[in-house]
Amino acid sequence: MNDAKARLGYLRQTLGLLYPGPGSPVAHSVLPHALLPRRLAPRRWWHVPLGRRVMVPVDGSIRAHLGDVFGMPIEAILHVRPARRANRKPVLEAYSGGRRIAFVKIGDSPRTRELVNNEAAALKKLADLPLKTVVPPSVLYHGRWRDLAVLALSPLPIRRSKVPQGLLESAVKEIAGTGVGPAWHGDLSPWNIAPSGDGRLLVWDWERYEVGVPYGFDLVHHAFQRSLRRMDPATAARACLAGAVRLLAPLGLSAAQSKQTALRYLIALADRHAADGHEPLGPPDGWLNPIVDHQELLT
């Protein structure tokens, strides 16, 4: 609770949503949920048991800025998450006339500004490529508001269902070919993809897109993230390496290349966590080092 209160206080200062300002303020409620992020929604009479109302000014806020950008009145739902990671950022759902028109990412720190800007550059690049399998969102707006990076993306028509392995492999191949050297999405996790109604793959959250990585990183990342749902990090890492040959064979990698790719991926993931200042899998000496040490003994 203290973490959530601190996060709300932080947003008061950054987004201009939660403190008095010019214009006519609108009453909102902070809606709780056991599984989803806390969020702000327009106040209704049945919200009384949830606590006091939160006054959101119409002017001088990110809503007003987005209204100027889109040329229409904007209502925004703010996703409020505890700030546990260096890369965690505020995300808004922008509505107009009851229709969702954009997801808006806010870069409110040096690291998150870098990620937001990287995603904007990646999506602008992809927009110029003749993609046949992958469907990324479109950049509707990329700019600055106050000292924050703002990226508005088109909402994708998400249909939550299982992604066929063949479709996933085709998407990995297509993404890999978007750079001068092999490229990867960077976070092709199950929660960042969904099949479309026309046989393609909807893919969002491109902030980790990178060129010049080993071919197959995306496929290994997807498998590893799925394993983490049912295994501890050390067991998932061992399973990742053990299953690499079968997993990467459809990409044309040899057994030796597959194992090397999986190992390099795990090391790259640990480096990412170190750069973010957050260790969601625990210290690497508990889940990564034993695998690296074992592989060194075999060579």
Side-chain angles (χ1 to χ4, degrees), residues 6-18 62 78-92 104-119 142-151 207:
R7 186 61 169 165
L8 284 172
Y10 164 76
L11 291 172
R12 288 190 181 95
Q13 300 177 6
T14 56
L15 295 183
L17 282 173
L18 304 178
I62 189 67
L78 170 64
H79 290 262
V80 184
R81 293 178 180 268
R84 292 189 297 268
R85 298 186 184 182
N87 65 328
R88 180 145 291 172
K89 67 191 72 62
V91 177
L92 301 172
V104 184
K105 295 187 176 184
I106 309 294
D108 56 350
S109 69
R111 181 57 177 152
T112 57
R113 281 193 291 270
E114 178 185 0
L115 291 171
V116 166
N117 292 335
N118 186 63
E119 180 166 18
H142 177 224
R144 296 185 68 86
W145 176 71
R146 298 182 179 175
D147 61 343
L148 309 175
V150 180
L151 176 61
E207 58 192 29

Side-chain angles (χ1 to χ4, degrees), residues 4 12 21 28 31 66 80-81 85 94 109 130-131 138-139 146 153 160 188 201 232 248 263 274 278 280 285:
R12 288 190 181 95
H28 278 61
L31 301 184
L66 293 174
V80 184
R81 293 178 180 268
R85 298 186 184 182
S109 69
L131 301 178
S138 301
V139 175
R146 298 182 179 175
L153 304 174
R160 286 296 183 186
L188 205 67
L201 189 68
D232 62 83
L248 296 176
L263 189 61
H278 180 62
D285 57 5

